[in-house]
Amino acid sequence: MKNFFYCFFIAALAVSCGTNPYKKSEKIYDSKLKTLEGTIANKDPQTLPVIAHVTLNIDTLYTKQLHTYKDTLFKMGPTPLQNGLSTEWIGTVNFNLRKPNFIIIHHTAQDSIQQTIRTFTKTETQVSSHYVIGEDGKVVQMLNDYLRAWHAGNGSWGKNTDINSSSIGIELDNNGSEVFTEVQINSLLALLTKLKKDHNIPVQNIIGHADIAPTRKKDPSIFFPWKILAENGFGVWPDEFLVTAPADFNAEQGLRIIGYDTKNLAAAVTAFKLHFMQNEVNGIIDELTKNTIYSIYKKQ
């Protein structure tokens, strides 16, 4: 019996002094984390059609913010809990960065791209976007695609109520009362081509700020060429020849299935028309509106 306890003690001591059984997975975790850190820290220029160079003052707050998130990501020690216990760290090997699934298009409602950049580089404004496109076609990237910008605010699309966490925001330099320039739209199309390919964004998930926040927003304005975008594979558009919606088709339900929040139905209809029926932007559901909603509903 004495020999049994002696052997048991030696075996227990060997296990307690042995190597970490999770050492291999921790090594993989660390390796993946470093790879992802490199991805989100990358600020290399993206390949787009050749455009004129724009010189900007880079706010060092961006770098400070990035280090804050990096330090948070790399924190792997135990964390004390209120009940007196502490968490134990065992890193998983199955994780990645967030996947953007939407692209939200805005107009800046400001007077120049420089003004917008100043807005996005001041902490007190609490607003940002991934990209800003100037009237002259210049494209400025302000945040890595995999990080969360603050561009959408309160809004929803379908069951998604946190649009910022699943979207890329693109701001077009436009005050909301002017036609968008040809070179600006061409740069947008080039950028959308890249983003759609990089992140496999569904066609119907390229929408406007007004679509996700119909009671608050009207951008990217009545002048935005949604039809041109749809013709190039970015978003959907009603059929040229509309079929009559079935007699039992519920237009409000159709809007909800498309993605609109219909708690304020008139606002939802107005946002729909701002996108798809720019010749008559109002909150009225007439026969043409019902048939147009049905056309988009069938494309979901």
Side-chain angles (χ1 to χ4, degrees):
M1 179 63 72
K2 183 177 181 181
N3 289 339
F4 171 79
F5 282 111
Y6 178 78
C7 293
F8 178 81
F9 174 78
I10 295 298
L13 182 64
V15 170
S16 65
C17 296
T19 59
N20 178 1
Y22 301 106
K23 186 175 182 180
K24 183 177 180 180
S25 66
E26 291 283 357
K27 186 176 181 180
I28 296 173
Y29 179 94
D30 290 343
S31 176
K32 289 193 70 173
L33 197 59
K34 288 179 181 178
T35 299
L36 296 181
E37 179 201 7
T39 299
I40 64 175
N42 179 33
K43 292 186 283 185
D44 292 338
Q46 302 297 306
T47 303
L48 293 175
V50 178
I51 57 175
H53 178 70
V54 57
T55 303
L56 301 171
N57 293 321
I58 303 301
D59 192 335
T60 56
L61 284 173
Y62 175 88
T63 305
K64 291 178 182 177
Q65 282 279 75
L66 203 60
H67 279 298
T68 298
Y69 286 117
K70 181 196 73 171
D71 292 342
T72 301
L73 290 171
F74 274 88
K75 184 178 180 181
M76 294 182 287
T79 302
L81 302 177
Q82 291 183 352
N83 63 356
L85 298 177
S86 291
T87 63
E88 177 187 4
W89 179 269
I90 300 174
T92 181
V93 299
N94 304 311
F95 63 98
N96 57 9
L97 295 172
R98 72 159 199 151
K99 180 192 178 299
N101 195 46
F102 294 88
I103 294 175
I104 310 299
I105 299 174
H106 310 250
H107 69 244
T108 61
Q110 295 188 320
D111 296 326
S112 68
I113 189 173
Q114 289 78 16
Q115 182 183 2
T116 298
I117 290 169
R118 284 195 297 271
T119 299
F120 290 170
T121 52
K122 290 182 178 179
T123 307
E124 59 268 25
T125 64
Q126 296 290 285
V127 64
S128 59
S129 191
H130 294 87
Y131 297 90
V132 184
I133 303 180
E135 289 184 348
D136 57 359
K138 295 174 183 177
V139 180
V140 178
Q141 182 172 7
M142 303 197 71
L143 190 67
N144 188 282
D145 296 348
Y146 291 100
L147 296 176
R148 184 181 187 272
W150 303 342
H151 63 96
N154 293 327
S156 64
W157 192 246
K159 295 182 178 179
N160 190 326
T161 57
D162 184 3
I163 300 297
N164 280 337
S165 292
S166 59
S167 66
I168 292 172
I170 301 176
E171 293 272 358
L172 301 178
D173 179 24
N174 185 287
N175 63 15
S177 60
E178 297 177 348
V179 174
F180 295 84
T181 66
E182 184 176 301
V183 65
Q184 187 176 40
I185 297 303
N186 277 307
S187 287
L188 174 62
L189 292 173
L191 179 58
L192 289 174
T193 299
K194 180 182 185 305
L195 295 178
K196 183 180 175 184
K197 180 180 179 181
D198 287 351
H199 305 296
N200 195 28
I201 306 289
V203 170
Q204 65 270 29
N205 285 3
I206 300 173
I207 51 181
H209 200 184
D211 294 314
I212 64 167
T215 61
R216 297 189 303 111
K217 297 296 181 179
K218 300 296 181 186
D219 57 312
S221 94
I222 196 171
F223 300 107
F224 187 74
W226 286 111
K227 183 179 180 181
I228 290 176
L229 262 65
E231 289 172 346
N232 284 273
F234 309 115
V236 295
W237 193 251
D239 296 327
E240 183 177 358
F241 300 103
L242 295 174
V243 300
T244 302
D248 61 350
F249 177 69
N250 185 309
E252 180 180 359
Q253 186 177 33
L255 285 171
R256 284 202 305 271
I257 291 172
I258 293 169
Y260 289 94
D261 178 355
T262 61
K263 292 186 182 70
N264 184 325
L265 182 56
V269 173
T270 299
F272 177 86
K273 290 187 174 184
L274 185 64
H275 190 137
F276 298 107
M277 301 176 65
Q278 295 174 328
N279 290 328
E280 54 166 279
V281 179
N282 55 49
I284 300 171
I285 301 179
D286 55 16
E287 188 69 17
L288 178 60
T289 304
K290 184 176 180 180
N291 293 341
T292 306
I293 293 173
Y294 181 64
S295 179
I296 299 300
Y297 157 83
K298 290 189 300 177
K299 300 176 188 292
Q300 302 308 303

